[in-house]
Amino acid sequence: MEIRFPSDFLWGAATASYQIEGGWNEDGRSPSIWDTFSHVPGNVYQNHTGDIAADHYHRWQEDVSLMKELGLPCYRFSFAWPRIIPGGIGSVNPKGLDFYDRLVDELLSFGIKPFPTLYHWDLPQALEDKGGWPERKTAQYFADYAATLVEHFSDRIENWITINEPWVVSMLGYHEGVFAPGVKNQQAAAAATHHLLLGHGLAVQAMRAVARQPLQIGITLNLSHVEAATDSPTDLEAVHQRDAHLNRIFLDPLYFGKYPTEVIQEQAFVFPEGYEKDFPTITTPTDFLGINNYFRDVVRHSTNDHHFKYEIFQPKGSTYSEMWEMHAESLFNLLMRIKQDYPVKAIYITENGTSVTDGIDADNRVRDSRRIQYLQDYIAATHKAIQHGVPVKGYFLWSLMDNYEWNKGYSRRFGIIFIDYENGQRRIIKDSAHWYSKTIQNNGFQIKTYYAEPF
Ligand code: IFM
């Protein structure tokens, strides 16, 4: 079967500052919470850090040439807050702006549209020292930082994402403590959730106030379709709860100005006093919703956890890559559900992809056929959703290049460009990048069976 996307569909690839840049202490950049966290032995797989990462801070020109070679129309990257405002608040670092000026101008000179994210988890450590996201003032500091960037770049950049995956920031960073800043405190996580939403709303307002052209602004959420392990009433209830904790906890305040009732009633989430007064700010209208999706969540009832009466269940016989189940139909289901339940004007898939650690063959090729299979299936699911009326306007593959996968360090490879960390950081275009490049060129593809075996 042949599939073709609408002629104005936007194709891109995504990265994030801490995961690729390196240059962690250069040109006035201050430490972020990820520098602090990754430098503590035991926090990250084999104590890997982002000190050098893919060395994009020095190789950005080569990386932009590769984007050009692949015919990439759009590039999603993130600004590093500690490069721009090293203290988190106050003075702006001209060298930080210079780096992104060079990057943005180079992209534009090649006709590649920049699609930046303002916050992809690298909070300046100075702000964590003042309380981090559980502290209300951080929301305003974020809005000030957002305005600084928009003032400087909005003559050249139209599309902006405020925050990437606030669920990960609050739940993995402040509740489970497995991501920076490594805090394990439910109260802190609830406060962080609320202040991330507030920061987003304040930022949208501040950005529009200083913009040099009408902007397209959105937030990116990590969302998953949730399914029950069985039809039992308790498993169905588990679906409802998980959906509230993962999806509705951000979607409902953003679109309806309220937290899900079930969440409010639980002991686990106690939001800061007077939180309701912030909903008018949190619901400040945006232009699109960014969705990061990789897998579905299958859940069943469980009393193992003190607060959450469910557990994630890995169905037997399903297909897994190194981290997550591959289940493209669940992306279709998720998109249909968003269209049905929320008044979303436009959707961008701001991340989708898979980790497969295929290495370099003797002929210097990386034959990552399993990634091609994954991409084909998920992009076809996106296409099907568009056919069913879901307003998906673009797709960003995660990731342009192999990079630092947070607490898994360099043990995971999500890139369509291979980074040879051990051999001078050379870049090798993987088979999947050639496939994606052709897909962009043809604005679609012929569906094939690339890889029939289970992983
Ligand atoms: O690498 C991350 C990215 O930073 C956020 N979304 C998920 C990706 C894969 O885990």
Side-chain angles (χ1 to χ4, degrees):
M1 191 177 77
E2 185 91 11
I3 63 172
R4 289 278 167 269
F5 280 78
S7 56
D8 57 352
F9 193 75
L10 206 59
W11 296 98
T15 62
S17 45
Y18 188 71
Q19 294 182 270
I20 63 163
E21 285 180 1
W24 75 291
N25 55 5
E26 284 181 52
D27 297 333
R29 180 190 179 281
S30 67
S32 77
I33 53 173
W34 268 96
D35 296 298
T36 309
F37 185 81
S38 67
H39 284 125
V40 175
N43 277 347
V44 174
Y45 172 80
Q46 291 192 355
N47 298 326
H48 290 167
T49 72
D51 292 2
I52 300 175
D55 200 25
H56 173 75
Y57 191 68
H58 302 109
R59 290 164 197 263
W60 59 273
Q61 231 163 344
E62 182 186 352
D63 293 335
V64 178
S65 314
L66 289 170
M67 293 180 218
K68 170 76 184 152
E69 193 178 325
L70 295 175
L72 210 68
C74 199
Y75 175 48
R76 175 180 177 228
F77 63 97
S78 77
F79 288 105
W81 191 344
R83 273 192 211 291
I84 305 292
I85 305 182
I89 42 173
S91 323
V92 175
N93 172 26
K95 289 192 174 163
L97 289 178
D98 284 352
F99 169 67
Y100 295 106
D101 268 330
R102 288 192 293 270
L103 175 67
V104 167
D105 290 345
E106 186 86 345
L107 288 167
L108 291 171
S109 76
F110 284 137
I112 302 169
K113 198 188 271 242
F115 207 118
T117 305
L118 295 170
Y119 184 71
H120 198 125
W121 310 349
D122 39 3
L123 187 74
Q125 181 61 41
L127 289 188
E128 183 56 32
D129 297 343
K130 292 188 193 328
W133 286 107
E135 164 60 49
R136 186 178 175 86
K137 284 188 187 142
T138 304
Q140 185 57 54
Y141 300 151
F142 174 65
D144 296 344
Y145 155 71
T148 302
L149 285 174
V150 166
E151 240 175 336
H152 190 85
F153 288 100
S154 61
D155 55 336
R156 287 160 285 166
I157 302 180
E158 181 192 4
N159 294 284
W160 297 79
I161 296 167
T162 54
I163 293 176
N164 182 70
E165 300 184 5
W167 182 92
V168 171
V169 177
S170 56
M171 295 310 290
L172 303 190
Y174 291 96
H175 172 79
E176 291 180 30
V178 293
F179 274 20
V183 174
K184 289 186 189 161
N185 178 327
Q186 284 180 342
Q187 192 77 19
T193 297
H194 188 70
H195 297 144
L196 284 154
L197 283 163
L198 176 63
H200 156 79
L202 290 170
V204 175
Q205 295 177 358
M207 291 161 80
R208 297 221 199 272
V210 298
R212 292 157 191 254
Q213 62 166 318
L215 303 183
Q216 296 292 304
I217 306 177
I219 185 170
T220 279
L221 305 179
N222 54 304
L223 304 175
S224 283
H225 190 251
V226 187
E227 295 170 31
T230 72
D231 287 344
S232 75
T234 49
D235 283 358
L236 293 175
E237 178 50 30
V239 169
H240 195 68
Q241 268 205 30
R242 174 69 180 168
D243 184 50
H245 292 151
L246 176 72
N247 300 320
R248 286 190 290 129
I249 191 167
F250 288 100
L251 287 165
D252 286 8
L254 286 165
Y255 288 98
F256 303 135
K258 63 181 179 65
Y259 286 114
T261 321
E262 312 85 297
V263 171
I264 298 279
Q265 285 165 352
E266 279 165 16
Q267 284 172 342
F269 293 90
V270 181
F271 294 107
E273 223 185 298
Y275 68 85
E276 300 92 338
K277 292 194 202 98
D278 294 325
F279 284 134
T281 308
I282 292 171
T283 51
T284 302
T286 51
D287 304 290
F288 63 85
L289 172 68
I291 296 181
N292 291 355
N293 175 257
Y294 291 85
F295 50 83
R296 66 176 172 164
D297 271 1
V298 182
V299 294
R300 64 181 168 204
H301 174 76
S302 159
T303 47
N304 289 345
D305 187 286
H306 176 55
H307 287 297
F308 306 135
K309 302 285 175 268
Y310 60 82
E311 65 188 4
I312 309 284
F313 167 75
Q314 306 211 329
K316 275 213 182 92
S318 40
T319 308
Y320 282 83
S321 75
E322 288 149 8
M323 284 170 63
W324 298 314
E325 189 193 4
M326 306 169 75
H327 195 278
E329 191 66 11
S330 68
L331 174 56
F332 170 74
N333 294 334
L334 172 70
L335 291 170
M336 293 298 284
R337 182 272 173 103
I338 298 294
K339 170 179 174 278
Q340 183 188 299
D341 291 354
Y342 296 93
V344 174
K345 294 180 221 154
I347 292 174
Y348 287 95
I349 306 291
T350 40
E351 283 182 29
N352 172 248
T354 190
S355 160
V356 279
T357 40
D358 297 310
I360 312 167
D361 291 339
D363 59 357
N364 262 334
R365 227 172 107 180
V366 180
R367 292 173 166 80
D368 56 339
S369 53
R370 295 170 297 174
R371 176 174 288 107
I372 298 176
Q373 177 76 64
Y374 177 98
L375 294 173
Q376 178 196 262
D377 293 353
Y378 273 74
I379 293 173
T382 306
H383 182 264
K384 189 166 127 191
I386 296 172
Q387 305 284 76
H388 282 73
V390 184
V392 186
K393 303 296 180 195
Y395 173 93
F396 292 82
L397 193 158
W398 184 270
S399 174
L400 177 69
M401 64 185 93
D402 291 337
N403 57 53
Y404 182 77
E405 180 54 25
W406 308 112
N407 63 358
K408 298 203 167 44
Y410 299 100
S411 68
R412 296 293 185 270
R413 289 181 179 271
F414 275 89
I416 54 170
I417 295 173
F418 187 90
I419 303 292
D420 197 354
Y421 299 110
E422 264 109 55
N423 291 299
Q425 298 265 354
R426 76 186 156 133
R427 274 75 168 132
I428 297 169
I429 293 182
K430 300 184 190 180
D431 281 6
S432 58
H434 291 298
W435 177 87
Y436 192 50
S437 176
K438 240 195 238 153
T439 296
I440 294 171
Q441 211 181 340
N442 297 330
N443 202 22
F445 47 72
Q446 176 84 35
I447 295 185
K448 291 186 192 154
T449 304
Y450 287 94
Y451 191 90
E453 299 302 314
F455 280 50

